[in-house]
Amino acid sequence: MCANIVVAEDDAKQAELVRRYLEHEGHAVTVVEDGRTALETVRHQEPDLVVLDVMMPGADGLDVVRILRAERREVPVLMLTARSTEDDLLLGLDLGADDYMTKPFSPRELTARVRTLLRRNRRGPAPAPATVPAPASEPEVAPDDEVLTVGALRVDPSRHEVSVAGTPVECTPGEFRILAAMAAEPGRVFTRARLLDELHGFDKYISGRTVDVHVMNLRKKIERAPRRPARLITVFGVGYKLTDPAKNVRHASS
């Protein structure tokens, strides 16, 4: 899978190492040295993925990912940092990063994570038309079998789209993976470990708090009152489940 990748890294030796490994994988790589140039390059090129160092002059990596998400750009972001505390990692994820690697890192692991991000965020071609055409008197209807519906919430894995009551909801790839997994089995309680399995490639010492951050951000997007969630519910001591608020109200009143 060849991709257009922007690498933002102010350490020349580190940037060259990343560039060489990614180009060996067949990707087209643009290297920039500061945050402001990274933003301009992403806006101009609309790349398939960004490898983003946290500590950079001009604007650091956290500022860059914050701005990209504020601009509703869904490009996957893999962050690189010398910071290794869990709070630093969770901050990057909270801002919208899709994966996080701490320095020093293995270039082979970096390329593996890039492959995973590209594969999971690649939008496939539109479904081929049916071999038997519909009668001329009936309009053709796009297949809706893969759309996951939980009350007013709709998750379309093939188009990577989410909406609530018809209103589009922008999700990061990590948020989308968690939401799609839960929407496929509404009412099921997912442990944090199970939801972490839906994510990928995070450093081994990141805990279930990673999931908590994604859930918190999802609630801001799909709940009317995020502090009193009615759709994405905590099951204390176990994990989370996705439900239809309308059904919850009917059950409570019966």
Side-chain angles (χ1 to χ4, degrees), residues 94-167:
D94 188 25
L95 292 174
D98 301 286
D99 201 353
Y100 220 115
M101 293 186 69
T102 53
K103 300 177 180 179
F105 57 83
S106 161
R108 293 180 62 186
E109 182 182 359
L110 172 71
T111 57
R113 294 200 190 190
V114 165
R115 285 196 300 270
T116 301
L117 273 173
L118 290 172
R119 183 173 62 249
R120 295 213 179 196
N121 294 283
R122 185 181 187 184
R123 298 186 182 184
T131 55
V132 179
S137 58
E138 297 180 5
E140 293 187 1
V141 179
D144 200 35
D145 295 341
E146 295 186 1
V147 176
L148 307 172
T149 303
V150 185
L153 175 69
R154 289 168 56 88
V155 180
D156 188 337
S158 65
R159 294 181 174 83
H160 206 277
E161 294 175 350
V162 176
S163 64
V164 177
T167 302

Side-chain angles (χ1 to χ4, degrees), residues 174-189:
E175 293 166 0
F176 185 88
R177 287 191 291 275
I178 287 177
L179 194 59
M182 300 184 76
E185 299 183 73
R188 172 184 172 180
V189 180

Side-chain angles (χ1 to χ4, degrees), residues 23-65:
E23 287 184 345
H24 182 72
E25 292 280 305
H27 304 303
V29 181
T30 301
V31 176
V32 298
E33 298 178 354
D34 63 85
R36 290 194 179 94
T37 306
L39 282 170
E40 294 171 1
T41 305
V42 171
R43 290 163 178 160
H44 176 69
Q45 292 190 6
E46 296 186 354
D48 300 298
L49 185 139
V50 179
V51 178
L52 187 62
D53 185 35
V54 170
M55 301 299 291
M56 290 187 297
D60 67 20
L62 296 176
D63 288 332
V64 172
V65 74

